[in-house]
Amino acid sequence: MSTLSGNWREAIDDVDAALIDGYQSGVPIEERPFRAVGADLGIDESTVIDRVCALQDAGIVRRFGAVLNPPVIGSSTLAAVQAPADRFGEVAAVINDYRQVNHNYARDHEWNMWFVVTAGSQDARDEILADIESRTGCPVLNLPMLTDYYIDLEFPVVNADRFARESLANRTDSSATRISEEAAGDLSPLEAELLLEIQDGFPLSATPYRDIAANVGYAVEDVLAALERLRDDGCIKRIGCVINHVVTGFDANCMVVWDVPDDELDELGERAGGLPYVTLCYHRPRRPDQEWPYNLFTMIHGRDPEAVDAKIDELAADYLPVDHERLYSTETLKQTGARYDDLVGI
C-alpha cells in the first residue's frame, strides 16, 4: 500500500496542497491568470508561479496548462496485443517508436500490452495499427471509444484516500456522449496553431497567454477568445495543474472490462460512470472474432490494491452484475501527452 509519508508530502505546505487539489481545473482564461489564483489563496502572483514551478520540478505536477481531448480533435483508439514473453521488450520498442502512441502499459492479462494511438483521421490511425501488426507479427485488438460516460482524472491527492475520491461522496455527471470515429478537428488556423503551441503546457510566467500569443503571432485578445472556443467546444477539457498520480501514490490502478447486454449499456454505463470512485467509464466495441466479448470499460485509481479490489467487488455486486475481468497495470511502458502535429493539419 502506498502511503503519504513520502518526500513529496513532507515537502509541501497547505498553500501547495491548495494549488495541487484546487487548481487541477478552473484556472481562468485571462491575461494574468496567476494573479486571480493568488487572490484566492492569499498570496501574490509571483509566489503562485514560483510554487507551481517548484511542484513541477518535484515531479508532482507533470505540467501546467490545458488537458486536451484527442477524440474530439482527431481519431483515437485503445489497442492491445498479445506480446510473447520472450519478445515483450522488442514489441514494446516497436510500438513506442510511433510518436502517435502516447500511452503504453503492460497489463496482467492474455492481452498483455495496451496502448493508445491518436492520429488526424481514422484512416491514418488504422494505417498505424496495420503497420504495428505487420512489424510485430502480433494481431492488434482495435477498440475505439464509442460512448463516453465519464472520463476525468481530476481528483484530490493530498489526503489519505485509498482510492480516487474516497473522501468525496458526490456523484458525477455521467450522461452518455457519443464519439465519432471519423472525428477531425474543424479548426481555424489560429486554433490549430494554438493546439500545437500548448500541447506540452503553458509558459510559467505572469502572462502565459500573452507569451503564447507572441509565439503564434496573434493578438492576445484573439488567443483568449480562441482558447475559450476550444474549451466550450470540448477540444480543451480543463486548464490547470496536471498531476502525476503515480508520484502521489495512486499506483494501484485497475482497468475492468464488462460484458454488458447491449440494450442495457447506456443505463448501466451512466450508473457506473456516476460513481465518485470510477475515474473512467466508456463504451468500446466487442470483437468476437478475436474472442473479446467486453463492451464497457471502467478505471479505478488507488493507492491500496485491496481497497481498489473491494470497490470493484462493490461495483460488480451493486451496479454491474455481469461477467467481467480485472486488468491491473504492471508496468508503464510509455506515457506522454498526445501529439497533435498530425491532427490539426497545418
Side-chain angles (χ1 to χ4, degrees):
M1 175 178 176
S2 299
T3 70
L4 289 177
S5 62
N7 293 336
W8 81 273
R9 185 63 182 91
E10 296 170 358
I12 67 172
D13 60 16
D14 289 345
V15 175
D16 287 332
L19 275 170
I20 293 167
D21 281 354
Y23 288 93
Q24 295 178 35
S25 66
V27 172
I29 299 176
E30 58 186 54
E31 193 164 342
R32 299 186 77 103
F34 294 115
R35 179 179 291 174
V37 173
D40 288 343
L41 297 177
I43 57 178
D44 61 41
E45 178 183 53
S46 62
T47 302
V48 175
I49 298 167
D50 289 344
R51 284 175 176 266
V52 174
C53 287
L55 291 170
Q56 186 167 303
D57 289 343
I60 298 168
V61 172
R62 289 188 185 277
R63 57 185 169 81
F64 180 87
V67 174
L68 306 183
N69 196 356
V72 174
I73 301 168
S75 187
S76 182
T77 194
L78 176 67
V81 296
Q82 298 178 7
D86 61 346
R87 297 182 54 232
F88 193 87
E90 172 198 339
V91 172
V94 170
I95 292 172
N96 291 347
D97 188 50
Y98 292 85
R99 66 176 183 172
Q100 296 90 347
V101 171
N102 56 293
H103 288 77
N104 190 7
Y105 299 98
R107 294 194 180 277
D108 186 13
H109 190 266
E110 182 180 9
W111 293 94
N112 57 357
M113 192 178 299
W114 291 77
F115 55 98
V116 175
V117 176
T118 302
S121 67
Q122 183 180 353
D123 287 345
R125 181 201 74 190
D126 291 347
E127 285 178 11
I128 293 168
L129 296 178
D131 198 44
I132 288 173
E133 192 167 277
S134 174
R135 291 178 62 192
T136 64
C138 298
V140 172
L141 184 66
N142 179 14
L143 301 169
M145 188 188 308
L146 302 179
T147 308
D148 164 6
Y149 298 109
Y150 184 74
I151 301 177
D152 195 355
L153 291 179
E154 178 185 356
F155 55 86
V157 299
V158 188
N159 51 39
D161 286 1
R162 298 164 302 159
F163 50 84
R165 301 186 181 90
E166 180 180 13
S167 55
L168 304 178
N170 57 302
R171 291 181 65 86
T172 53
D173 178 8
S174 55
S175 302
T177 302
R178 308 301 178 202
I179 305 296
S180 171
E181 277 200 82
E182 299 177 357
D186 184 15
L187 305 171
S188 70
L190 169 56
E191 290 167 341
E193 291 185 51
L194 279 175
L195 288 177
L196 294 182
E197 181 66 27
I198 68 175
Q199 63 184 331
D200 294 321
F202 288 1
L204 283 171
S205 74
T207 57
Y209 298 111
R210 183 171 288 280
D211 296 344
I212 292 167
N215 289 342
V216 297
Y218 286 84
V220 65
E221 295 80 10
D222 294 335
V223 165
L224 293 171
L227 288 171
E228 287 181 350
R229 287 195 303 273
L230 289 167
R231 181 190 59 193
D232 294 344
D233 290 344
C235 293
I236 291 177
K237 300 183 71 172
R238 54 187 169 93
I239 295 175
C241 295
V242 180
I243 303 302
N244 186 332
H245 294 107
V246 173
V247 167
T248 59
F250 285 89
D251 53 5
N253 306 322
C254 190
M255 180 175 77
V256 190
V257 292
W258 310 82
D259 182 5
V260 174
D262 293 337
D263 60 354
E264 299 179 42
L265 188 55
D266 280 351
E267 176 189 353
L268 296 183
E270 291 182 352
R271 181 190 300 175
L275 298 169
Y277 57 83
V278 173
T279 50
L280 307 174
C281 185
Y282 36 71
H283 164 213
R284 298 185 185 273
R286 307 177 194 275
R287 298 297 190 204
D289 56 325
Q290 294 177 283
E291 299 183 352
W292 184 260
Y294 304 107
N295 59 348
L296 186 70
F297 288 61
T298 59
M299 280 287 297
I300 297 176
H301 286 70
R303 292 187 170 108
D304 179 356
E306 291 184 1
V308 171
D309 268 334
K311 298 313 288 186
I312 297 170
D313 290 342
E314 176 185 321
L315 190 57
D318 298 341
Y319 301 96
L320 293 171
V322 298
D323 290 341
H324 64 279
E325 289 194 70
R326 308 177 190 208
L327 285 72
Y328 271 100
S329 57
T330 58
E331 184 181 358
T332 299
L333 304 172
K334 183 178 183 181
Q335 186 176 46
T336 64
R339 304 303 303 177
Y340 292 86
D341 309 64
D342 296 329
L343 271 67
V344 301
I346 63 171

